[in-house]
Amino acid sequence: MASNKLPLSFYQQSNVVQLSKKLIGKVLCTQINGKLTSGLITETEAYRGYDDKASHASGGKRTQRTETMFKNGGISYVYLCYGIHHLFNVVTNTANKPDAVLIRAIKPLQGKETMLQRRNASANSPSLTAGPGRLSQALGITTANDALPLTGSTLWIEDRGDTFSDDMITAKPRIGVDYAGDHASRPWRFFIHDSAWVSHK
DNA sequence: GCGGCGATCCACT
DNA sequence: GTGGATCGCCGCC
């Protein structure tokens, strides 16, 4: 199949909120430990570092962990949450503008057997890949995959021509960011309205 | 050096 | 609906 990976220019757009919506319907792929797995992105959240109390890079806060977010867009940002879950983000915008999109849910497309094994599951149901910790586990993504180029051959995103119009996408406040005060209510979580493959129905 | 706390998930009541 | 798992990050002052 011809490569239809999203180009670097896609990730370097400056409006991370718009970009979060555009990532809905794209296909996230990994080739890890020799296994190809992929899924249609059904849910995303935008984190805008310089002006977002919910972001790790809030106010442009630069630390060892957030350094990845300050790099040029088009790479991964993977970090460990609650000591257990590896959460996968797409770094966007250009260098020194710490924006990222958290991928919160996918619908499995390729490598379902591999995903079932990695998740220790027996049925292809939304609990397999709906939720940021779940999809990372299903795709084999860990913090070892942090700061990898999304134009490479380990971790990438394709456009396979599936488009979703604005009225098929719902915008709601983000999940698990109550600590962010007034910014917690920003409608920066996007998901396919009628899809079963989303977290927090 | 150390303590509190997560962009979560699962099992149990 | 509630709580435990589990560990790296960050700020302490």
Side-chain angles (χ1 to χ4, degrees):
Chain A
M1 186 192 298
S3 170
N4 37 17
K5 290 179 188 176
L6 294 176
L8 206 53
S9 58
F10 178 87
Y11 300 105
Q12 298 185 343
Q13 297 172 63
S14 60
N15 189 331
V16 68
V17 179
Q18 281 293 110
L19 209 145
S20 290
K21 199 198 277 191
K22 289 182 186 172
L23 278 170
I24 301 284
K26 300 295 188 287
V27 179
L28 176 61
C29 311
T30 64
Q31 177 119 33
I32 292 172
N33 292 331
K35 307 278 192 181
L36 174 69
T37 49
S38 68
L40 186 87
I41 298 173
T42 53
E43 179 177 350
T44 63
E45 283 181 1
Y47 288 86
R48 195 170 69 186
Y50 59 87
D51 173 33
D52 183 1
K53 293 181 206 165
S55 171
H56 293 158
S58 173
K61 185 172 65 177
R62 236 178 154 121
T63 66
Q64 187 149 21
R65 178 174 62 161
T66 64
E67 195 59 32
T68 302
M69 295 177 75
F70 286 84
K71 298 187 181 183
N72 242 324
I75 61 173
S76 61
Y77 171 47
V78 183
Y79 75 97
L80 188 66
C81 186
Y82 294 98
I84 304 174
H85 305 291
H86 300 264
L87 270 53
F88 170 73
N89 298 251
V90 173
V91 176
T92 72
N93 215 328
T94 50
N96 299 312
K97 292 176 181 166
D99 293 349
V101 178
L102 171 68
I103 309 300
R104 287 194 57 89
I106 61 172
K107 174 183 169 186
L109 292 177
Q110 295 159 283
K112 289 176 190 170
E113 286 305 314
T114 299
M115 296 193 205
L116 288 170
Q117 283 174 18
R118 285 173 175 155
R119 293 273 301 130
N120 194 25
S122 55
N124 183 21
S125 76
S127 66
L128 191 63
T129 54
R134 291 167 171 171
L135 77 87
S136 296
Q137 188 181 17
L139 294 176
I141 298 171
T142 69
T143 50
N145 302 303
D146 180 53
L148 283 184
L150 298 176
T151 47
S153 56
T154 300
L155 191 53
W156 68 94
I157 302 177
E158 297 182 2
D159 184 350
R160 297 190 182 175
D162 290 311
T163 57
F164 293 86
S165 58
D166 280 3
D167 61 350
M168 298 171 77
I169 299 175
T170 302
K172 283 281 195 283
R174 293 168 291 179
I175 304 295
V177 296
D178 292 346
Y179 58 85
D182 51 320
H183 291 182
S185 60
R186 289 175 167 182
W188 286 0
R189 170 183 178 234
F190 300 96
F191 57 95
I192 299 173
H193 170 254
D194 62 356
S195 174
W197 299 89
V198 300
S199 67
H200 291 257
K201 282 291 291 182

